[in-house]
Amino acid sequence: MKTIKDIIAQKSKERITMLTAYDYPISSFLDEAGIDIILVGDSLANVVLGLESTTEVGMKEMLHHAKAVLRGAKNTMVVADMPFEAYQLNPQKAVDNARQFIDLGCAAVKLEWFDQAPSVVAAIVKAGIAVMGHVGLTPQTADKLGGMKVQGKDAESAKAILQNAKILEAAGCFSMVLECVPQNLAQSITKELKIPTIGIGAGIHCDGQVLVIHDLLGLFSRYQPKFTKKYVDLGPQILQAIKQYKNEVTSGQFPDDAHSF
């Protein structure tokens, strides 16, 4: 089983691979493929539940899907996103919510930068729970950043993101997600931090990469960010299979003798 120490040790030595999963079948595939980290992402809201914003999922949904993912992850480390408001009300509530994921079997939780993030991270880490940080574009508070846009394009905002990353590292984070920042900024942050960085829309210079599995497999077509890559386009194949099933049922071809008792 991959551990927090293993992930930290990979910095500058072996690139870290992380993908999202929200159920048992996908988790099993990621585990078999040797992916380092499975993220039970709050992107669950968009790609699984059909909601508009990651702020629309809560602890109930995240815990439900984390249970399913953990059943498929035999060797891969599982990290769970802390949903919006699960950690922003007060540090003690954040600790209590984080502990629920750990009690299930998750190795760590991930939370996004916000103004009180340093004290919240410190409280969770003090409670013996590992935390992955997240700076740059923070989808849960994107409305305060001008929307889902690249962050850190000017010197002032770039400096602020670098500073945020350093603060979260000092608070005890064991790794840092860098989302939608210029690759030169991501490179600078990666060099400055002693902990690994994991990029999404942050270029090649991070210590690892993460994607949403539905983007990688071509299962989500509502929007396609520039930084995503379809490694296979399963959406049309699934649609074709369903259409074929419908045609065979309506024409009386299915079930045939081979599929009957």
Side-chain angles (χ1 to χ4, degrees), residues 25-204:
I26 295 297
S27 174
S28 299
F29 282 130
L30 301 190
D31 187 78
E32 185 175 352
I35 294 298
D36 294 315
I37 304 172
I38 294 175
L39 175 66
V40 187
D42 58 3
S43 46
L44 165 73
N46 313 107
V47 300
V48 175
L49 302 181
L51 300 170
E52 291 295 327
S53 170
T54 57
T55 62
E56 297 179 72
V57 292
M59 287 295 295
K60 181 178 179 180
E61 294 91 346
M62 293 300 299
L63 290 168
H64 175 81
H65 286 269
K67 289 178 185 178
V69 168
L70 284 161
R71 294 184 190 111
K74 306 301 182 185
N75 299 296
T76 302
M77 193 174 86
V78 176
V79 176
D81 259 335
M82 293 279 280
F84 185 68
E85 293 187 350
Y87 60 96
Q88 296 189 352
L89 300 178
N90 64 72
Q92 186 54 53
K93 185 66 174 176
V95 171
D96 293 341
N97 285 329
R99 186 171 285 116
Q100 293 187 63
F101 288 110
I102 304 305
D103 288 345
L104 290 181
C106 294
V109 296
K110 180 173 77 66
L111 57 82
E112 298 178 6
W113 172 269
F114 72 112
D115 289 344
Q116 285 75 47
S119 60
V120 171
V121 169
I124 296 174
V125 171
K126 185 178 180 181
I129 298 170
V131 179
M132 176 182 287
H134 184 149
V135 298
L137 175 62
T138 48
Q140 292 178 359
T141 53
D143 57 319
K144 298 178 181 179
L145 302 173
M148 301 290 279
K149 300 177 180 179
V150 177
Q151 303 296 309
K153 294 201 293 184
D154 61 84
E156 183 177 354
S157 61
K159 183 178 179 181
I161 292 170
L162 172 59
Q163 187 64 24
N164 292 347
K166 287 182 174 180
I167 290 171
L168 290 185
E169 179 183 42
C173 285
F174 76 93
S175 60
M176 193 73 55
V177 170
L178 310 180
E179 180 167 359
C180 283
V181 299
Q183 59 180 332
N184 60 342
L185 172 58
Q187 184 176 25
S188 296
I189 295 173
T190 301
K191 287 181 177 179
E192 290 275 351
L193 299 187
K194 294 182 176 63
I195 59 174
T197 61
I198 300 173
I200 178 166
I204 193 64

